Amino acid sequence: MSVQFSLEFKEQVVEKALQRKEGESLKFIAENENIGLSTLTRWMKASRVKTPLTKEERFAALMASSALQPDELQGFCRHKGIFQHHLDSWKNKFLHHPTTTMQQTTDIKLNVKIQ
């Protein structure tokens, strides 16, 4: 038997997972929400698929993350739905390809709605 979850529920759980506290695992969140870990990870992956970050958003993310310690950076990336290698790539493009527009630097996507 398949359980259907509302879009609102999915969005709330993904937001909770992205904003989880230090040491709080995805498995813990999934168990508390009575869903499977694979379901939660699938929803999180789907939430990153549609809207590309603008060049302003990428620049703002680089600026906001530049002085963060490694544990703070991990939380920052999780909250933004990006990975550290994305920040590294954007920084590299800025430093080594100054004529490259930020629009050309990534295909990172975030989804406003989970399907």
Side-chain angles (χ1 to χ4, degrees), residues 4-43:
Q4 296 292 325
F5 295 99
S6 72
L7 180 59
E8 292 80 18
F9 177 76
K10 291 178 184 181
E11 289 173 344
Q12 288 174 356
V13 173
V14 167
E15 187 68 24
K16 186 181 287 187
L18 291 174
Q19 295 181 2
R20 66 188 182 274
K21 297 174 185 156
E22 184 74 28
E24 193 173 43
S25 70
L26 289 178
K27 183 177 180 181
F28 175 79
I29 291 171
E31 288 172 353
N32 282 341
E33 298 296 333
N34 294 316
I35 60 172
L37 177 58
S38 63
T39 298
L40 176 55
T41 55
R42 188 175 64 247
W43 292 352

Side-chain angles (χ1 to χ4, degrees), residues 41-53:
T41 55
R42 188 175 64 247
W43 292 352
M44 290 178 72
K45 195 179 286 188
S47 74
R48 296 182 180 126
V49 188
K50 291 194 178 174
T51 308
L53 291 175

Side-chain angles (χ1 to χ4, degrees), residues 65-105:
S65 65
S66 65
L68 298 177
Q69 298 299 318
D71 57 330
E72 296 170 320
L73 183 60
Q74 185 180 41
F76 175 83
C77 288
R78 194 171 43 239
H79 176 71
K80 295 291 186 184
I82 59 176
F83 294 97
Q84 186 170 348
H85 71 267
H86 298 130
L87 293 170
D88 295 339
S89 172
W90 300 338
K91 183 178 179 180
N92 182 45
K93 295 288 184 181
F94 269 130
L95 295 175
H96 301 291
H97 305 287
T99 59
T100 301
T101 66
M102 283 306 291
Q103 190 66 31
Q104 298 168 330
T105 62

